Structure formats: C-alpha cells, structure tokens
Amino acid sequence: MTEHETSKNHLNAVIDYSRRSKAIGRIDQQLSQQAEDLAKYWTEVLRRTISVIVFISERGLAFRGENETLGSPKNGNYLGILELVAEYDEFLNNHIKTHGNRGSGHTNYLSSTICEQILQIIGKRVFNEIIARIKQSKYYSISLASTPDEGHLDQLTLIFRYLEDYTPVERLLTFMPNQGHKAKDMFQSLENFMKENDLDIKNCRGQSYDNASSMSGKYNGLQALVIEKNDLAVWVPCAGHSLNLVVQSAAGCCLSAISFFCFYGRTFSFFSLLQLRGTRF
C-alpha cells in the first residue's frame, strides 16, 4: 500500500485530480460550492455561539432561564446575549429571524442541547490542559472533600495545587461519585482517578483535608493511606475547617447562639425534607 501511494503513477493521478477539481465548468462544481458555502455558514454560527458560551462560563453566570423562546425576557443569559449581539450583527440577526423558534427537529445551533454539547467539549479540553500542566509541574499537592450536590447526594471534590512558572496555582479538577465515607473508599476513588489520568501519586508532596477521623486519622485515615504509598505527602489540616471548629467552640459558649443555630438547622432540615418529597410551596 505504501509503495503504491509513493509510486509515480499514483502521484501523477493525484496531481491530475487536484487540477481537474479546480477546473471551471465541471459537472459537480455547483454542488461542491453549495456544500462549501453551507459549511462556512454554520461555521460562522458556531463561532458566535461558542464566543457567548465562553463569555458566560468565564463569569460563572447561569445559562438557561425559564424558557428557550427567542424574544422572551426570561429566556436566560445564553439566548439573551445572542439576541443582544444580533442587534449589531446582521448575519446573526438574519439567522435568528430565519431559524429561531422553529421548534424541535429544525437545526439552528442555538438550542440548549447544542449549548451543553459545546460545554462538554470545552470542559474536556480545559480538563486535559490542567492535567498536562500538572504533569509538566510534576510535583503537586491535593485536597479532597465530600460535599452534597443540589440533590443532597454526596460527591468528592478533588483540588490540585501546583506551580506554573514558579507561581502556585490551585485548580478544582473534578467531582467524583462518592463511593462511601470510609477512608479506604475515598482513597480508592482517588487512586482510580490518578490511574485514569496517568498521574503518579509518588509525585504528591502535600495533602490537606478536614479534621474528621476518616480523613485526618494517623493510622486508618485517608492521609495514612496516601502516606503508605508516598511518605513525602505531608498532611496539613485544612485551615477553613479548622476555623469552623474554632467558631463552633466559641459559639458553644453562648446560649443565644446555640438556640439560633439549632433553630436554623431544624428549619433547613424541614425544608430539605419537603423538597425531597416534591412538595411545592
């Protein structure tokens, strides 16, 4: 196959094909031009939508509103900004007039489905870039914590701290499904993530968690399991959690504060229970 591709006859045939494809008046010229124009058109649409998506993402704003109707004041930041740009962009203005609000089954590249797909692609590229920078830095420290999401389901947050041009940077890298609250379960999740992304735990130089025994325990905690793999990963108590414990102890000396926070906690639990049951207010 390689010999054929480098043969004189094949190369001459490729040159003749390229010359004839540029010739005026060939039978598929109009069809080829139509396909090229169509590709350019949708490329211009995507350039504008991606710019808006990046703008909203960088500022941490919400994308969607109460509806996805162009022209509605409640259609969210994504469609709202596209409409604003369209006021000064004739191309986008004509596109919205022609393809907007046509319903499902009609391609316009403005739907929430396309938006989410683009976000996933961008997110994957950002993730890979961070992983590449961690590998370039080589040494890093980690912080792992369990936090509930909007549905009150626990998930593990993994944060890396490393150097870029001698400047320390901190990146929230991923949310991992929580396999359990035991140290070995969390360590297994961490180890799986490291293997999937070709990161060597031997290069870890620091670890920081809260003060729970499952995290900070010297013998059976998460820090102990990491040190078993790498005794250079020094554990440092999380300053934020330590401050919370100080505040909690200080508040425990005040009866008014105890009464307030007990009431606050019961109120939160009550409304959380109603939300789980789907009760509307």
Side-chain angles (χ1 to χ4, degrees):
M1 186 66 180
T2 304
E3 294 179 357
H4 170 72
E5 291 178 351
T6 57
S7 65
K8 183 177 181 180
N9 290 335
H10 178 75
L11 294 176
N12 289 335
V14 171
I15 294 172
D16 290 339
Y17 172 79
S18 178
R19 186 185 299 113
R20 291 182 181 181
S21 64
K22 298 179 182 178
I24 299 176
R26 71 181 195 273
I27 191 171
D28 65 336
Q29 183 181 9
Q30 292 184 354
L31 182 62
S32 177
Q33 186 62 44
Q34 182 181 2
E36 184 178 346
D37 292 343
L38 191 62
K40 288 181 179 179
Y41 178 88
W42 290 111
T43 298
E44 289 300 313
V45 174
L46 280 174
R47 284 181 61 246
R48 288 158 173 80
T49 56
I50 291 175
S51 295
V52 172
I53 290 172
V54 171
F55 175 86
I56 296 175
S57 300
E58 287 178 340
R59 287 153 181 81
L61 302 175
F63 278 81
R64 300 168 69 173
E66 295 182 8
N67 59 62
E68 295 183 40
T69 304
L70 289 163
S72 169
K74 298 182 179 180
N75 57 14
N77 292 322
Y78 173 59
L79 293 180
I81 294 176
L82 283 172
E83 290 177 315
L84 177 62
V85 174
E87 292 183 11
Y88 307 95
D89 186 340
E90 184 178 358
F91 173 84
L92 185 57
N93 188 29
N94 292 332
H95 175 74
I96 290 177
K97 289 181 179 179
T98 305
H99 300 280
N101 296 334
R102 296 286 296 273
S104 60
H106 182 83
T107 302
N108 59 16
Y109 283 5
L110 305 177
S111 67
S112 60
T113 302
I114 294 297
C115 179
E116 290 174 1
Q117 291 177 350
I118 293 175
L119 276 172
Q120 290 176 1
I121 294 172
I122 294 175
K124 186 63 176 177
R125 292 195 62 177
V126 171
F127 177 86
N128 291 335
E129 178 64 22
I130 296 175
I131 291 293
R133 293 187 183 188
I134 293 173
K135 292 179 180 179
Q136 183 177 7
S137 176
K138 187 175 181 179
Y139 301 114
Y140 59 85
S141 60
I142 58 173
S143 179
L144 191 68
S146 172
T147 182
D149 60 11
E150 187 177 359
H152 304 283
L153 298 176
D154 277 349
Q155 54 188 350
L156 290 175
T157 59
L158 179 58
I159 298 173
F160 277 76
R161 188 176 177 87
Y162 57 96
L163 291 177
E164 289 184 0
D165 298 327
Y166 304 102
T167 302
V169 295
E170 194 171 272
R171 298 283 185 263
L172 171 60
L173 201 58
T174 185
F175 292 97
M176 299 184 294
N178 196 345
Q179 304 298 322
H181 293 281
K182 294 183 179 179
K184 62 179 181 180
D185 298 327
M186 289 183 283
F187 178 75
Q188 186 64 49
S189 297
L190 175 63
E191 195 171 36
N192 291 339
F193 177 86
M194 294 290 192
K195 291 179 180 179
E196 290 172 1
N197 294 280
D198 195 26
L199 293 171
D200 191 352
I201 199 169
K202 294 291 185 181
N203 294 327
C204 181
R205 291 296 179 268
Q207 48 179 329
S208 180
Y209 320 115
D210 60 33
N211 297 281
S213 60
S214 61
M215 307 294 283
S216 61
K218 293 183 179 180
Y219 305 105
N220 297 314
L222 178 59
Q223 69 135 327
L225 296 178
V226 173
I227 289 177
E228 283 184 9
K229 297 287 185 178
N230 176 14
D231 58 2
L232 297 177
V234 179
W235 177 70
V236 178
C238 176
H241 286 90
S242 298
L243 179 60
N244 285 340
L245 291 177
V246 172
V247 174
Q248 182 180 355
S249 297
C253 300
C254 177
L255 296 179
S256 298
I258 295 175
S259 177
F260 168 76
F261 284 111
C262 287
F263 173 76
Y264 180 81
R266 288 194 296 268
T267 303
F268 177 81
S269 300
F270 173 74
F271 284 104
S272 297
L273 182 61
L274 292 180
Q275 184 180 5
L276 289 174
R277 292 180 176 178
T279 304
R280 295 184 177 181
F281 302 101

